[in-house]
DNA sequence: AAAAATAAGTCAACATGACTGACATAAATG
DNA sequence: CATTTATGTCAGTCATGTTGACTTATTTTT
């Protein structure tokens, strides 16, 4: 038994939180994320896709020329799991594969026109939601929100993710030079 | 084709973002959440449970006396899905059910001692992670982070969630009066 | 008191996306 | 030539979600 007085029937009273505001953040993060993924999920249904497809497509769209190994590294799923959704995306013309120029074992991944469009369609409601939330929080809040989210990433990955965000900005095709892979969404 | 000049082979160049900082937030949210759920996931394995169990147990622990209908309402999953994990949690002694005092159709849900302890064990790393991230972002950041996360919740649910967070603070048992249900985690 | 509505539980069937572990192929590297 | 690497694949399993129809107990409404 804990410090709380237990009911005679073995039930437990609600937990007395040492820092209620932090627990609120924990729970708000759940709700925020739940709704953050809702709109894309709805869109995906029409394409017969699921979340996994979104992740992969988002990555590849933001990082044309990304390798399978890079995806595995960031999604942290198994080859099997990735292989299944990737194959579907390729078969249905959303992603195309190409042998690496310098290392022909590699399969470089690129979004097709369709893939690019779907990726945009999926991320649009997420950007809109974030944009509105930032505005409603006061524009100056953006800095601390970004800081907070970065700090939420486990220390071992933090720098890596930082680089991914950077290289995501440098637009151009990366088919010749590996380039750091970058973040998915959801 | 979009405004970007497509490669001759049908590949698409990386997307030129209208507001790169917002897209960063979108992706950081993914990474933050990914790592936010990692530690509880690891713990759950030892109990033969998954994320669904975490959600249900968290709810019930924070809201003793919650009804099945309340859980369904907030988790937004089907009775079948909830039923499966709830049954496991009951069978293995983490949650107990009791007919409502005023309305005996209801099944009021309560954490047992074990359930209470597991819920605490699961939320602990999440609180720790949030606490550290808040501190590293400057303590004054907490306000705008909370604002932001609240605004990320879809408008239709925002007030409801606000109430849930409130009632979660009022500690006591709610077996006689329904009380607003409250937020899960993850 | 009979009828309707509500809370919960249940059945059967199914889809998605994750897992494991072993193995195959092609190509690069030593 | 041997080894390592990048990728793909086979076969099977599990967790968690879905749908829709139906039952039971109980409360509420007419």
């Amino acid at each position: 038994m804990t410090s709380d007085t237990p009911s005679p029937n073995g039930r437990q009273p609600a937990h007395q939180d040492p820092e209620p505001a932090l627990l609120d953040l924990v729970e708000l993060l759940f709700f925020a994320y739940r709704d953050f993924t809702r709109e894309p999920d709805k869109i995906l249904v029409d394409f017969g896709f699921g979340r996994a497809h979104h992740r992969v497509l988002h990555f590849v769209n933001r990082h044309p020329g990304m390798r399978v190994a890079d995806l595995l590294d960031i999604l942290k799923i198994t080859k099997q799991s990735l292989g299944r959704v990737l194959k579907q995306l390729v078969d249905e013309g959303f992603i195309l594969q190409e042998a690496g120029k310098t290392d022909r074992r590699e399969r470089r991944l690129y979004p097709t026109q369709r893939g690019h469009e779907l990726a945009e369609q999926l991320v649009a409601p997420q950007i809109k939601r974030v944009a509105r939330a930032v505005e409603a929080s006061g524009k100056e809040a953006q800095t601390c929100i970004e800081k907070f989210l970065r700090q939420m990433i486990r220390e071992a990955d933090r720098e890596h993710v930082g680089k991914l965000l950077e290289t995501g900005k440098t637009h151009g095709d990366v088919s010749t030079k590996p380039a750091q892979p970058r973040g998915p969404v959801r």
Side-chain angles (χ1 to χ4, degrees), chain A residues 4-185:
Chain A
D4 290 314
T5 50
S7 307
N9 58 357
R11 282 163 16 193
Q12 284 297 307
H15 177 235
Q16 179 76 308
D17 191 14
E19 237 300 23
L22 289 178
L23 187 50
D24 280 2
L25 289 185
V26 166
E27 300 188 343
L28 283 170
L29 198 50
F30 164 79
F31 285 110
Y33 195 80
R34 183 194 66 174
D35 291 346
F36 172 70
T37 56
R38 209 174 264 194
E39 284 133 324
D41 280 353
K42 220 177 287 170
I43 296 168
L44 287 160
V45 173
D46 298 336
F47 290 83
F49 291 147
R51 294 201 168 185
H53 301 88
H54 185 181
R55 292 187 197 114
V56 172
L57 184 58
H58 178 90
F59 256 131
V60 172
N61 185 54
R62 290 284 297 170
H63 255 277
M66 168 164 273
R67 295 169 304 163
V68 169
D70 299 326
L71 278 171
L72 287 177
D73 208 45
I74 291 159
L75 297 178
K76 306 200 196 225
I77 56 176
T78 57
K79 248 192 290 185
Q80 272 297 357
S81 297
L82 175 57
R84 204 183 308 118
V85 298
L86 185 53
K87 191 178 186 309
Q88 283 178 273
L89 287 166
V90 170
D91 287 352
E92 300 183 34
F94 292 89
I95 286 179
L96 61 85
Q97 296 174 316
E98 219 171 78
K101 281 175 189 159
T102 59
D103 184 338
R104 303 224 326 277
R105 289 173 306 181
E106 298 170 348
R107 293 282 181 283
R108 296 298 187 143
L109 305 172
Y110 302 90
T112 61
Q113 174 64 22
R114 283 186 81 192
H116 177 74
E117 284 169 7
L118 179 54
E120 293 299 307
Q121 198 188 335
L122 291 169
V123 88
Q126 298 188 310
I127 288 179
K128 191 178 271 180
R129 180 174 294 274
V130 168
R132 284 183 180 155
V134 167
E135 294 217 353
S137 312
K139 244 321 186 156
E140 80 289 354
Q142 190 161 334
T143 316
C144 71
I145 294 162
E146 185 174 326
K147 251 190 224 168
F148 170 74
L149 291 177
R150 282 180 191 270
Q151 291 296 325
M152 284 292 290
I153 299 167
R154 61 189 268 249
E155 212 269 324
D157 285 355
R158 208 170 291 152
E159 194 185 321
H160 187 214
V161 171
K163 278 184 196 151
L164 291 181
L165 293 178
E166 277 309 307
T167 64
K169 277 164 195 145
T170 72
H171 197 149
D173 191 287
V174 271
S175 52
T176 44
K177 254 291 138 200
Q180 293 287 358
R182 152 144 236 283
V185 171

